[in-house]
Amino acid sequence: MSDLRQPPEPQNPGTPAGDHPTTGAPAPADAHPSTDPDGPRTGPAAANGDGPASAGGPASLDVLAPAAGPTSNGVLAAAAAAAAAATATAGAASAAGLAPADDEPPVAVGGDDEVRAAGPDGGGERSPVGRLAATVERLRREVRAAHVEADGRALIEMAKGILVERLRCGPAQAARQLAELAEQAGVTPLEFAVDVINQAARDRLSEVTADFLTVTAARTETSGSASVRLRAAESGALAAHDTQAVADALLEHALAPLGAEAVAIWALGTDGSLTLAGHAGFSAAEAGRWRHVPPGVATVARRGLTEREGHWIHSLAETGLPSIGQHQNPEGGRAAVPAGTGGRIHGVLEIAWPAPLDTPAPPIVRQVEALADLCGHTLETSAPGHLDGDAGPRATPDVTELMDLAEGLHDPALVLVPHLDADGNLVDFRIHHVNSRFLDPAGRPRSVINDALLLEAYPMVAGHSELFEQIERVYATGEPYRAHRMRLTALVDDVPLSAVADFNISRHGGSVLLIWRIEDETARLASLLKHAQRLGRIGGFEENLLTGEITWNGQLFDLYGRPASAAPVPLEDLAAHAHPDDAVAIGRFLRTLLHRRHPASTSFRLQRPDGVTRHIRVVAEPVLDSGGQPYVVRGAYQDISAHHWTEVALAATRDQLAHTEQQASERNRLTLQLQHAIMPPAQAPLAVPGLDLAVRYRPAETQNLVGGDWYDAVVLPSRMVLLCVGDVAGHGIEAATSMVVLRNALRGLAVTGAGPGQLLSWLNMVTHHLTGSVTATAVCGLYDPDRHTLRWARAGHLPPVLVRGPEAEPLPLVQGLLLGAVPEAAYQEHEVQLAVDDTLLMYTDGLIERRDRSVEESLAQLLTAARTVPRTLEQRLDRLLTHSRSDTDDDTCIVGIRVVP
């Protein structure tokens, strides 16, 4: 498979001219000198490299231009140039590994005791079995040489004909010219004949060979085998009587050198099915199982058909797609290329490799596409082979029959025939016929559209609608196409005129039938009304009061739960089908409608025959005659059951919300009372001479209004003032409960006269054993109003801040573990002397803590705010709360004292 992944390596320039171009082995002695592609190369060019082959590159085949006569010097010079071109391109595919080796080693039969090795001169003893094997091998080589000669004879004769036409000579002179030029070029007559054909034809195969040789590094040394192989495959395909012979020729001459082991040619049916038209390399039993593939079945061939550009598969097992011969080499690669002519796909060429397939080189891809084109020509002119071996011409409906079919349609229709360019490529479709129902969206008459090209008459079909692309696809694959509500635009006098239509495109033989139905506005509105009634669960009615005739639509029968064959219910009997409690409302509705002759509406509960009760709203109006008397009543019923139950649910929800709001208001009132009882918003004045006291409490909980922060300021029996703040971890009722326990416990312990360190030690024991394993921080201080001193201790809390004059500094940090962490803990005390006008602040971390800054940075901001000198202590605390930058949504407590004269 290396030949599919990279260009071939050049031949060894030291290979003798008479050796095989790939292996270097001597050519068979019985090979025909004029037909064997790899036979001996004689002549001066092959012997010493002094001939035209050493010119250094290919030359154009000037021999193909008309000359004065068969013996003129100009013709001979042109022939020499052709010989040089043939030499310059000799054996490329053979060097690339694309040509099969003719010198395969003979098969050994028997063991060492049956076959004796022969000497160099062919002597030696041989057993009867050995002599039989040698005879078989000799006959095999003769048969192969005969096949090669037969395959190449047609190409040689074709080249002779080209020389006869171009040199204007006789057949004998052309044969001599071909033999002499081939001898000068050092190639076989078959290789030189193929080069002459390539230069004269300039067709797809010539381009494929040139592209392949362009990417090889040894074009000046090798070319003949690639050209010979492709031309031999073409000759075999064109001469074959059916697609089975084409498959054999493609595999033998072109695909086996590429490493392929099997090939299948699929014919595309008008219904989208695939029929195995020919195969090679697959067993007869396997081909019988895959003789027909119904439309819509996903296979490798179907994938190549839908992709249009061909599908190359690295490994068949990786795709999971079924295909012919899938059990033979499940890991092998596959290629499926559409086979068609003139823009129409007739089938698919599928190739199987025994090993995984890497990404092929572009020249290989183009070579396979050229082989697919050969299959397309064969499929176009012959039907796929049947199980009985019969083959016949492919049936093509007459265009006149398609025109008759279009005339029998009630919708506008166009009969399109393909329009090809000079190279046979599909470029447009010609409007061969328009039927009598034809209505041009732009209002043009039929004579203007008939016999015009489709893109000229409707250039906008190649726009966003992609209608032209769909017509091409239908013509190529034969699969019909239908589209609903596609916009058709016609360009008339540079003005785009649009219409909405439904399209139906189908292929019939070699023509395409395009049918469209322009959407009728009345039908569209009727359809819109029908869907609106269905979505709104509305049923319409009309009742003739004179004749008693009642007309219901289908939706109204569904609302009543009655079959369409049942008789409609008159308005006078409406109360009999409604709930008894709604009789009064229905009577009022009928009096307004029939006696007062005004439009009316009402709602009632409809009791259906199936026992289901539906809430219905009826709206009706009378139609009056010339005398002012009603003779027709028309109106509509609407099922409003869903709306009714929604209103009931909303009413119940409103009642529930009102009850919930009342409960929430009561809960908030009780919570506020609890918060005021636990933490009063303002501290009662303390009867302490020379001391001002102020407190602030700001809870973070907006629902419960209580948290874990607490403060206390009380005068003890010893006339000492207890000052403390604390913070219990957490929020809500649980944290508040623990806070109340600690606050009351500290107040009770303080009457013992113990110092702040001892009080925090006892409070730690209470926290650890009596509060359910919570933790807390606290600052506790005892102020002596006689000495103006404060003795304090801390338990994991921020230190108090002393404001003296324009300066504000935190008190020295003393050691103290947070409350509840361990069963027993000791706390260090510190004493500070206060002066008149000094202010001391105790606070919780909710005042300063931020998520994006450290505690030190937040404390520095607090000190900056505390340095301001408001007139009163109350104003100072309010200013601290106002300018607090905390973003942790934590409770905040502040206790401030100021020494006054």
Side-chain angles (χ1 to χ4, degrees):
M1 295 299 296
S2 62
D3 52 315
L4 293 181
R5 296 188 294 267
Q6 60 185 0
E9 297 293 336
Q11 271 191 332
N12 185 0
T15 303
D19 293 344
H20 191 279
T22 302
T23 63
D30 53 355
H32 195 281
S34 62
T35 60
D36 188 356
D38 297 321
R41 300 180 179 180
T42 60
N48 51 29
D50 295 334
S54 60
S60 61
L61 278 180
D62 297 333
V63 69
L64 302 182
T71 59
S72 65
N73 294 332
V75 173
L76 294 179
T87 304
T89 57
S94 176
L98 301 180
D102 290 336
D103 296 327
E104 299 179 0
V107 179
V109 181
D112 294 338
D113 56 344
E114 298 181 10
V115 182
R116 303 281 182 90
D121 57 352
E125 294 187 37
R126 289 181 181 268
S127 65
V129 177
R131 287 193 296 271
L132 179 61
T135 303
V136 170
E137 176 60 24
R138 179 178 56 80
L139 293 176
R140 186 174 68 87
R141 288 198 301 267
E142 292 177 357
V143 169
R144 184 187 300 113
H147 280 301
V148 170
E149 181 179 0
D151 293 336
R153 186 177 298 113
L155 299 177
I156 293 176
E157 295 300 325
M158 186 182 300
K160 290 179 181 177
I162 294 174
L163 293 179
V164 168
E165 190 273 333
R166 296 299 174 89
L167 299 180
R168 298 178 182 178
C169 61
Q173 180 65 21
R176 287 194 299 271
Q177 289 281 352
L178 183 64
E180 292 176 0
L181 293 175
E183 183 178 1
Q184 293 179 10
V187 298
T188 64
L190 177 60
E191 291 175 334
F192 189 80
V194 168
D195 196 69
V196 171
I197 295 172
N198 286 339
Q199 293 292 333
R202 296 297 183 184
D203 57 357
R204 180 71 179 273
L205 289 182
S206 302
E207 297 174 358
V208 167
T209 303
D211 291 344
F212 177 78
L213 297 176
T214 301
V215 299
T216 62
R219 177 164 184 171
T220 58
E221 300 178 9
T222 60
S223 72
S225 296
S227 301
V228 171
R229 188 176 69 247
L230 291 178
R231 287 301 177 185
E234 180 188 29
S235 177
L238 297 179
H241 61 279
D242 59 5
T243 50
Q244 179 60 46
V246 173
D248 294 333
L250 293 183
L251 181 62
E252 177 184 359
H253 295 290
L255 297 177
L258 296 179
E261 65 172 358
V263 62
I265 301 176
W266 302 90
L268 178 62
T270 57
D271 58 350
S273 63
L274 293 174
T275 302
L276 186 61
H279 65 91
F282 298 112
S283 63
E286 182 72 6
R289 288 191 293 268
W290 286 86
R291 184 61 64 183
H292 181 77
V293 179
V297 178
T299 62
V300 173
R302 180 80 60 188
R303 181 72 62 84
L305 179 67
T306 56
E307 293 190 3
R308 300 287 300 275
E309 300 298 332
H311 186 60
W312 295 76
I313 299 175
H314 172 71
S315 175
L316 184 60
E318 296 177 356
T319 63
L321 293 174
S323 186
I324 181 174
Q326 58 185 353
H327 301 296
Q328 183 175 349
N329 285 301
E331 300 296 333
R334 289 291 175 107
V337 182
T341 57
R344 177 177 173 181
I345 297 177
H346 302 290
V348 180
L349 173 63
E350 182 177 354
I351 309 170
W353 278 269
L357 179 66
D358 291 339
T359 303
I364 300 299
V365 175
R366 288 192 290 271
Q367 180 174 338
V368 173
E369 291 176 351
L371 299 178
D373 290 345
L374 294 178
C375 297
H377 286 284
T378 304
L379 292 172
E380 184 182 20
T381 56
S382 63
H386 302 281
L387 295 177
D388 55 3
D390 294 336
R394 181 183 297 271
T396 302
D398 192 0
V399 179
T400 58
E401 296 179 2
L402 188 58
M403 294 167 57
D404 295 338
L405 174 63
E407 287 297 334
L409 299 175
H410 293 281
D411 295 317
L414 301 179
V415 177
L416 307 176
V417 295
H419 179 70
L420 309 180
D421 59 9
D423 297 330
N425 299 319
L426 178 66
V427 294
D428 200 349
F429 290 91
R430 185 170 296 280
I431 303 176
H432 187 74
H433 178 72
V434 294
N435 66 351
S436 57
R437 300 278 183 172
F438 171 77
L439 293 175
D440 182 63
R444 293 173 293 183
R446 296 174 56 192
S447 58
V448 177
I449 305 300
N450 199 15
D451 202 36
L453 293 177
L454 182 62
L455 291 179
E456 293 180 358
Y458 300 101
M460 304 299 288
V461 299
H464 298 291
S465 64
E466 299 181 354
L467 180 60
F468 187 81
E469 288 77 4
Q470 297 298 337
I471 297 175
E472 283 186 314
R473 187 189 65 82
V474 171
Y475 176 74
T477 63
E479 298 180 2
Y481 172 77
R482 294 175 177 85
H484 180 62
R485 291 185 54 79
M486 178 182 288
R487 183 169 298 276
L488 177 64
T489 303
L491 196 63
V492 179
D493 296 332
D494 296 331
V495 177
L497 301 178
S498 300
V500 178
D502 298 337
F503 286 89
N504 190 317
I505 309 172
S506 59
R507 189 182 74 185
H508 301 268
S511 304
V512 175
L513 180 63
L514 172 62
I515 305 172
W516 74 67
R517 177 179 297 172
I518 297 179
E519 190 175 49
D520 183 45
E521 186 67 16
T522 303
R524 188 180 70 86
L525 293 178
S527 176
L528 179 62
L529 178 60
K530 179 180 178 181
H531 290 296
Q533 291 178 342
R534 176 182 58 83
L535 295 175
R537 300 182 64 83
I538 299 174
F541 72 93
E542 183 177 273
E543 182 174 346
N544 193 314
L545 301 178
L546 301 180
T547 63
E549 181 183 0
I550 303 175
T551 303
W552 280 11
N553 64 357
Q555 187 66 32
L556 188 52
F557 281 101
D558 294 338
L559 290 181
Y560 265 81
R562 300 166 65 88
S565 59
V569 177
L571 288 176
E572 294 182 353
D573 297 341
L574 186 59
H577 296 270
H579 194 277
D581 295 343
D582 298 330
V584 175
I586 293 176
R588 189 183 306 112
F589 164 75
L590 293 177
R591 286 192 299 271
T592 303
L593 181 66
L594 300 178
H595 296 285
R596 297 180 183 175
R597 305 165 189 173
H598 295 312
S601 65
T602 189
S603 299
F604 64 95
R605 285 163 288 182
L606 176 66
Q607 294 181 332
R608 306 198 321 178
D610 54 5
V612 176
T613 299
R614 310 295 295 179
H615 291 263
I616 302 296
R617 176 178 175 82
V618 58
V619 180
E621 66 175 1
V623 180
L624 307 179
D625 58 11
S626 58
Q629 298 297 322
Y631 73 97
V632 169
V633 175
R634 50 177 172 241
Y637 291 84
Q638 183 179 15
D639 187 351
I640 60 172
S641 300
H643 178 72
H644 170 76
W645 292 117
T646 301
E647 289 292 338
V648 172
L650 287 176
T653 303
R654 284 193 293 267
D655 294 342
Q656 182 67 29
L657 286 176
H659 180 66
T660 302
E661 289 177 358
Q662 183 180 1
Q663 289 182 331
S665 177
E666 184 66 19
R667 186 184 303 110
N668 290 337
R669 185 182 63 81
L670 295 176
T671 302
L672 186 60
Q673 292 178 353
L674 175 63
Q675 189 263 341
H676 287 172
I678 297 175
M679 300 295 295
Q683 175 69 26
L686 296 179
V688 179
L691 185 67
D692 284 345
L693 175 69
V695 298
R696 292 292 184 272
Y697 175 70
R698 182 179 63 187
E701 288 286 339
T702 58
Q703 298 294 328
N704 299 323
L705 298 177
V706 293
D709 287 22
W710 52 277
Y711 70 90
D712 202 1
V714 63
V715 180
L716 299 177
S718 62
R719 298 186 69 252
M720 304 285 285
V721 179
L722 174 66
L723 303 172
C724 59
V725 294
D727 185 4
V728 177
H731 295 281
I733 299 298
E734 294 79 5
T737 303
S738 301
M739 175 268 292
V740 172
V741 173
L742 297 183
R743 183 174 185 267
N744 293 335
L746 183 59
R747 177 174 284 196
L749 292 172
V751 300
T752 62
Q758 184 61 51
L759 293 177
L760 290 181
S761 180
W762 289 336
L763 191 62
N764 174 70
M765 297 175 62
V766 174
T767 306
H768 186 77
H769 295 286
L770 302 179
T771 58
S773 300
V774 301
T775 59
T777 63
V779 171
C780 179
L782 293 175
Y783 176 73
D784 186 353
D786 296 333
R787 299 173 50 228
H788 294 179
T789 60
L790 177 70
R791 190 156 48 101
W792 66 282
R794 57 178 287 272
H797 204 85
L798 295 172
V801 173
L802 176 61
V803 182
R804 177 171 291 171
E807 298 296 331
E809 296 294 339
L811 296 182
L813 197 63
V814 297
Q815 296 182 356
L817 191 65
L818 77 164
L819 302 175
V822 295
E824 295 183 0
Y827 295 89
Q828 183 180 359
E829 295 183 357
H830 181 263
E831 186 175 277
V832 58
Q833 181 68 43
L834 299 179
V836 177
D837 292 334
D838 284 352
T839 300
L840 185 74
L841 303 174
M842 294 182 180
Y843 54 91
T844 58
D845 55 2
L847 180 65
I848 66 172
E849 196 172 37
R850 288 184 60 86
R851 296 182 179 92
D852 59 345
R853 295 186 180 181
S854 64
V855 177
E856 291 77 9
E857 292 177 334
S858 299
L859 182 58
Q861 291 180 354
L862 174 64
L863 296 178
T864 301
R867 290 189 181 101
T868 60
V869 186
R871 290 181 297 176
T872 64
L873 183 60
E874 300 281 348
Q875 292 177 349
R876 184 186 294 274
L877 298 189
D878 291 338
R879 181 179 178 84
L880 292 178
L881 286 177
T882 302
H883 294 278
S884 172
R885 299 182 180 180
S886 174
D887 61 356
T888 57
D889 297 329
D890 199 1
D891 301 340
T892 301
C893 286
I894 308 177
V895 175
I897 60 172
R898 182 181 181 187
V899 180
V900 297

